[in-house]
Amino acid sequence: MASTERHEKEMVMRAKSALSKGGVSPMTTLRNKCLSRGASGIKGLARLFRIMDDDCNKQIDKAEFKTGIVTYGLSFTDEEIKEIFEKCDRDRSGTLDFDEFLRSLRPPMSQSRKDLVMKAFTKLDRTGDGLVTVEDLRGVYNARKHPKYMNGEWTEEQVFTSFLKSYDSPDQPDGVVTHEEFMDYYSGVSSSIDNDAYFDLMMRNAWKL
């Protein structure tokens, strides 16, 4: 997975560089601020909104949206927040659907790249329940080759937990990775790779697809 980690670092550098230059829309700035926190940055914001969704209808209004942005530590003016909200609220309902918001926030990915990410997730999700847990990793990911397992510092369980943290939200980790979180992670990594063939090669090598 070293290749993926390297591309995540490149993604963070690109996002920070874009932020320093400015001159882009508030929506693009929001995306770059999330990506500057790593590939889990978008996941963290998405999960925060899900936690705020008290009635579980997968929707948030403008006030909740502003609260989420501020709580996540992102600095935007009221006007910029209004512009982002209205851009994502495509049906003009006055509320944001989570899926609607994530589609707008994620860096664009071609269908071929999405298909590869889905193949990797399906391989990990051995139980087929749409969630990847430590139990799913057994028999798919060889923890015994991890350096910290080999030197006796970590147990297999700790290796698996550390692996899942790479894809989990940094702010509210739960040890479970959903398809959406996995896709959020790789949409960030994808933004640092311009060549489709290279992305294809990286994914196939990383996940033995």
Side-chain angles (χ1 to χ4, degrees), residues 7 24 45 65 80 91 93 102 138 156 167 178 185 194 199 206:
H7 287 300
V24 295
L45 182 58
F65 182 73
E80 287 172 332
D91 59 4
S93 64
L102 283 175
R138 299 186 192 281
E156 274 191 290
Y167 302 93
T178 66
Y185 178 91
D194 297 324
F199 183 84

Side-chain angles (χ1 to χ4, degrees), residues 115-154:
D115 290 344
L116 277 171
V117 174
M118 190 62 203
K119 280 184 180 180
F121 184 84
T122 300
K123 182 175 182 177
L124 278 175
D125 181 21
R126 297 175 70 200
T127 57
D129 61 358
L131 302 171
V132 174
T133 64
V134 167
E135 288 307 312
D136 285 304
L137 293 180
R138 299 186 192 281
V140 177
Y141 181 65
N142 190 352
R144 293 172 182 267
K145 289 188 176 181
H146 193 284
K148 290 194 176 183
Y149 177 87
M150 294 174 72
N151 68 19
E153 186 177 345
W154 282 0

Side-chain angles (χ1 to χ4, degrees), residues 37-45 47 72 165-174 181:
R37 298 186 177 199
S40 60
I42 290 177
K43 292 185 306 184
L45 182 58
R47 180 167 289 184
Y72 202 52
K165 279 183 180 177
S166 300
Y167 302 93
D168 209 347
S169 167
D171 300 297
Q172 298 90 24
D174 58 4
E181 288 174 333

Side-chain angles (χ1 to χ4, degrees), residues 4-198:
T4 303
E5 291 170 2
R6 183 178 71 250
H7 287 300
E8 181 174 358
K9 289 179 181 177
E10 290 175 3
M11 175 206 69
V12 171
M13 290 175 60
R14 282 193 182 192
K16 288 182 176 178
S17 175
L19 286 171
S20 68
K21 293 176 183 176
V24 295
S25 70
M27 185 69 202
T28 300
T29 299
L30 174 60
R31 180 184 298 129
N32 285 330
K33 283 187 175 184
C34 286
L35 293 178
S36 70
R37 298 186 177 199
S40 60
I42 290 177
K43 292 185 306 184
L45 182 58
R47 180 167 289 184
L48 176 62
F49 284 138
R50 290 190 180 100
I51 291 173
M52 291 172 58
D53 181 27
D54 294 331
D55 56 5
C56 299
N57 67 351
K58 294 188 175 182
Q59 302 213 346
I60 51 173
D61 60 26
K62 193 177 293 184
E64 290 171 326
F65 182 73
K66 179 180 178 181
T67 298
I69 293 291
V70 173
T71 301
Y72 202 52
L74 302 174
S75 178
F76 286 93
T77 65
D78 288 346
E79 191 59 36
E80 287 172 332
I81 290 175
K82 179 173 181 269
E83 182 178 330
I84 295 169
F85 185 90
E86 291 179 351
K87 181 177 178 61
C88 296
D89 181 21
R90 295 176 182 175
D91 59 4
R92 298 294 180 263
S93 64
T95 59
L96 282 190
D97 174 87
F98 288 152
D99 293 334
E100 185 178 50
F101 174 64
L102 283 175
R103 278 196 299 270
S104 299
L105 187 58
R106 284 176 183 149
M109 287 180 74
S110 66
Q111 190 57 50
S112 62
R113 293 192 183 198
K114 289 179 182 178
D115 290 344
L116 277 171
V117 174
M118 190 62 203
K119 280 184 180 180
F121 184 84
T122 300
K123 182 175 182 177
L124 278 175
D125 181 21
R126 297 175 70 200
T127 57
D129 61 358
L131 302 171
V132 174
T133 64
V134 167
E135 288 307 312
D136 285 304
L137 293 180
R138 299 186 192 281
V140 177
Y141 181 65
N142 190 352
R144 293 172 182 267
K145 289 188 176 181
H146 193 284
K148 290 194 176 183
Y149 177 87
M150 294 174 72
N151 68 19
E153 186 177 345
W154 282 0
T155 64
E156 274 191 290
E157 191 82 10
Q158 287 174 307
V159 173
F160 289 138
T161 300
S162 175
F163 179 90
L164 289 175
K165 279 183 180 177
S166 300
Y167 302 93
D168 209 347
S169 167
D171 300 297
Q172 298 90 24
D174 58 4
V176 175
V177 178
T178 66
H179 168 248
E180 290 80 10
E181 288 174 333
F182 199 71
M183 188 66 74
D184 288 342
Y185 178 91
Y186 274 107
S187 67
V189 172
S190 172
S191 70
S192 72
I193 303 175
D194 297 324
N195 188 288
D196 282 340
Y198 187 66

